[in-house]
Amino acid sequence: MLRRSSTDFVEALARGLSIITAFSPTATALTASDVAARTSLPRPTARRLLMTLEHLGYVRSSEGVYTLTTKVLELGTTYIATLGIWELARPHLEALVAETGESSSMSQLDGSDIVYVARVPVPKIIALSVHIGTRFPAVATSMGHVMLADLTADELTELLDTPSRSGIIPRVAPSRDELDADLAVARERGWALSDERLSLGIRSIAAPVRDASGAIVAAMNVTVHAAETSVDELQRRHLPLLLETAAKITEEWTNLARLPVPDPLTRA
């Protein structure tokens, strides 16, 4: 990782990206002063960067208040498109949702958060809004536990030292000993359960998606409303379908990785 002292570190780019990440689900409209406070940048610098981003189409302003535009989605969807995650997972997620009648999503780790990269929702009211790009603290989610369980102790310690950028305070924040115990169970089972840890009313179960080497590269879940679906029903009815779906996606992902990649220099 590049450090600020490195001659290859571009401070202006870092500052511009910090402006974009200053916005969050709980701070969708910010003034230049707000952005300066959230990024620790001088207000004149924050204002110039906001005006630059506005010129490029990533933010818009009205009476001194700035909001992100949908062009910001291009930054995330480009990443997703390069991996082919959504295109590969979508039919499987849709089939799973058709069978369970419950929402299903896929996420990857980013620091100490999970970030949603694919989702097929059903029209049910839950406590938290979820969409592609949503971040939640990994320690409070079933998908997070699945992916954290694949890390070494040192990797886990380093990850947990990274502050969450989700803006969400989980209902249950486990101690390190409690987390280690939970991850040991998830590692042994091959799946993880979160029973209203993130928020009241949200119950989910998750399974891993692996690459050709066997490493966990993503997790997928089935999410239910706790008042409608018991833990027993979630495990008895939905878990087998979830594990089957995750295995299918893993198989396709593995097969895709084995395909020869054509050399663009040899094309006519």
Side-chain angles (χ1 to χ4, degrees), residues 45 50 80 102 107 122 125 170 212 227 240 256:
T45 300
L50 281 165
I80 294 171
E102 304 290 353
S107 71
V122 295
I125 298 176
L256 185 64

Side-chain angles (χ1 to χ4, degrees), residues 1-18 41:
M1 181 181 294
L2 294 175
R3 304 298 180 186
R4 288 174 181 247
S5 58
S6 169
T7 56
D8 294 319
F9 188 90
V10 182
E11 187 74 28
L13 176 59
R15 288 179 171 182
L17 292 174
S18 73
L41 292 172

Side-chain angles (χ1 to χ4, degrees), residues 85-217:
I85 294 172
W86 173 236
E87 290 80 1
L88 186 151
R90 177 174 55 188
H92 296 289
L93 292 177
E94 290 174 343
L96 178 61
V97 169
E99 280 199 85
T100 64
E102 304 290 353
S103 298
S104 181
S105 305
M106 178 179 284
S107 71
Q108 292 186 297
L109 277 177
D110 182 20
S112 59
D113 295 330
I114 63 165
V115 179
Y116 283 69
V117 296
R119 178 166 171 79
V120 178
V122 295
K124 291 189 176 183
I125 298 176
I126 61 172
L128 297 173
S129 174
V130 180
H131 51 80
I132 292 177
T134 291
R135 310 174 73 94
F136 290 136
V139 297
T141 68
S142 59
M143 290 193 289
H145 279 207
V146 162
M147 292 183 283
L148 294 178
D150 201 43
L151 302 179
T152 66
D154 288 343
E155 289 171 337
L156 180 61
T157 296
E158 182 179 359
L159 181 144
L160 294 177
D161 286 339
T162 306
S164 171
R165 293 163 49 201
S166 72
I168 300 296
I169 299 176
R171 176 173 172 267
V172 177
S175 67
R176 178 58 189 268
D177 287 344
E178 290 171 334
L179 179 61
D180 285 341
D182 288 339
L183 296 184
V185 172
R187 198 175 297 117
E188 182 178 357
R189 287 175 167 176
W191 52 271
L193 171 74
S194 177
D195 187 11
E196 300 186 280
R197 290 174 179 263
L198 185 64
S199 179
L200 281 172
I202 298 178
R203 182 172 287 156
S204 68
I205 202 161
V209 175
R210 301 177 184 272
D211 64 12
S213 72
I216 295 176
V217 291

Side-chain angles (χ1 to χ4, degrees), residues 219-240:
M220 60 179 297
N221 74 354
V222 172
T223 302
V224 299
H225 197 294
E228 297 178 350
T229 306
S230 67
V231 170
D232 178 68
E233 183 180 0
L234 184 59
Q235 294 181 209
R236 176 177 49 81
R237 181 183 171 207
H238 299 320
L239 178 59

